[in-house]
Amino acid sequence: MAEDAGCRVGCIGAGNMAQGVLRGLLLSGKVQPKDVTVSAPSDRNLRTFQDLGCHTTHSNIDVLSGSSVVFLATKPHVLPGVVKEILPAVTSDHVIVSMAAGVTVQTLEDSLPPGTKVLRMLPNLPCMVQEGAVMFCRGHWAGQEEADLLKSLLSSCGLCEETPEAYLDIHTGLSGSGVAFVYMFAEALAEGAVKMGMPSTLSNQIAAQTLLGAAKMILKTGDHPAKLRSDVCTPGGTTIYGLHELEKGGLRATVMNAVEAATERARDLGKR
Ligand SMILES: NC(=O)c1ccc[n+]([C@@H]2O[C@H](COP(=O)([O-])OP(=O)(O)OC[C@H]3O[C@@H](n4cnc5c(N)ncnc54)[C@H](OP(=O)(O)O)[C@@H]3O)[C@@H](O)[C@H]2O)c1
């Protein structure tokens, strides 16, 4: 299964992450809508996939019979029931890819037939606009071929890296939850401008573009953020005055604490 062309993709669960990831796959042209089958209990989210030309069903088992790569995209607490339900239909030809936060490869492998090729991925919300940050790891029976296939498929969703499983909870803190931290920063940035007299619609747009531009600079130059920050600071200029206020407010320590807290919470949830 080295080639992703002609790959038949299934997805159990049709919510935000399923839509984000599958939209990326479809837009890339690597997967055709006719080769995608998605299941969910209600029609609420399935309609989006019907509009995209994908097959939809209320039967999770049906997804297995039509697909070689199967994404598990339900909430983590629903996953054990789903795995139990699909168990009789899982074969050694399937590649099972779980998106559920906190559900370990070990737990998945223990619940599936021995020899099942299992991978675990963690997407984040910007996968919906093909600017996601995805980390994945593989289980005992998933080889380089399956990892290459998944990486090739997911490259259309944004940045995609294979890592040791231990990094996945950290990725949840840094990037899964991190998206919300960035939204809060964007909101505060824009509200500062509103306070100074700029209309909110304009300040929100400018704040978002500022984050986008700053992020692109980090990725394109490869420079450490501290160097880029220092480059903006003219001695005695506006930026260093603003940065001093951020330091007084403990921005850096607060953000580090937030990543730590979210990571610990992901680890905690994974143990349950
Ligand atoms: N959102 C994030 O930023 C994020 C980041 C990293 C990882 N994740 C992981 O991604 C997974 C999905 O999250 P989400 O935000 O996409 O959730 P979501 O929007 O709530 O979607 C959940 C989907 O699961 C479906 N579902 C519920 N019970 C089911 C069952 N028994 N069989 C089949 N489908 C069932 C729901 O069906 P209906 O359409 O009928 O309601 C819905 O389509 C979670 O495990 C989460 O941990 C999410």
Side-chain angles (χ1 to χ4, degrees), residues 8 10 12 37 59-68 70 72 86-87 89-91 94 96:
R8 287 169 305 127
I12 298 183
T37 307
S59 159
N60 293 333
I61 287 266
D62 281 358
V63 174
L64 271 287
S65 59
S67 315
S68 44
V70 178
L72 304 178
I86 62 171
L87 203 56
V90 176
T91 71
H94 285 115
I96 307 288

Side-chain angles (χ1 to χ4, degrees), residues 13 25 27 51 54 61 100 113 145-146 151 157 162 164 180 214 219 256:
L25 301 195
L27 279 176
D51 292 345
C54 304
I61 287 266
E145 200 177 337
E146 286 73 32
K151 193 162 181 172
C157 299
E162 181 179 5
L219 291 174
M256 287 171 73

Side-chain angles (χ1 to χ4, degrees), residues 21-31 52 128-130 156:
V21 169
L22 290 187
R23 213 179 273 274
L25 301 195
L26 292 169
L27 279 176
S28 72
K30 286 177 179 165
V31 179
L52 290 168
M128 296 194 85
V129 290
Q130 291 74 58
S156 49

Side-chain angles (χ1 to χ4, degrees), residues 94-252:
H94 285 115
V95 178
I96 307 288
V97 186
S98 167
M99 298 186 198
V103 181
T104 63
V105 164
Q106 184 74 56
T107 301
L108 291 160
E109 286 184 340
D110 287 349
S111 327
L112 288 162
T116 306
K117 294 171 197 134
V118 170
L119 297 104
R120 179 185 164 199
M121 65 176 273
L122 268 178
N124 69 352
L125 204 59
C127 283
M128 296 194 85
V129 290
Q130 291 74 58
E131 289 292 355
V134 186
M135 274 191 183
F136 75 91
C137 65
R138 52 182 136 133
H140 290 102
W141 291 288
Q144 190 61 46
E145 200 177 337
E146 286 73 32
D148 289 347
L149 172 69
L150 186 66
K151 193 162 181 172
S152 166
L153 288 173
L154 294 180
S155 60
S156 49
C157 299
L159 189 73
C160 177
E161 292 293 340
E162 181 179 5
T163 64
E165 187 168 23
Y167 291 177
L168 263 62
D169 287 333
I170 306 173
H171 180 65
T172 303
L174 169 65
S175 190
S177 305
V179 170
F181 308 158
V182 172
Y183 288 145
M184 190 178 265
F185 183 76
E187 185 190 349
L189 207 55
E191 289 200 336
V194 172
K195 186 179 179 196
M196 300 318 292
M198 189 184 282
S200 137
T201 313
L202 183 61
S203 61
N204 280 328
Q205 272 184 322
I206 300 293
Q209 181 63 30
T210 304
L211 292 181
L212 183 69
K216 276 197 173 169
M217 288 284 290
I218 297 174
L219 291 174
K220 286 217 164 150
T221 62
D223 284 344
H224 193 283
K227 181 195 176 294
L228 293 167
R229 175 173 53 77
S230 157
D231 288 348
V232 188
C233 287
T234 310
T238 58
T239 309
I240 194 66
Y241 271 69
L243 285 171
H244 190 197
E245 291 301 319
L246 293 177
E247 293 289 15
K248 282 196 271 184
L251 179 83
R252 269 194 286 189

Side-chain angles (χ1 to χ4, degrees), residues 12-17 40-42 44-45 60 73-76 78 99-101 123:
I12 298 183
N16 289 320
M17 276 306 117
S42 78
R44 180 166 87 83
N45 288 300
N60 293 333
T74 66
K75 290 287 189 197
V78 177
M99 298 186 198

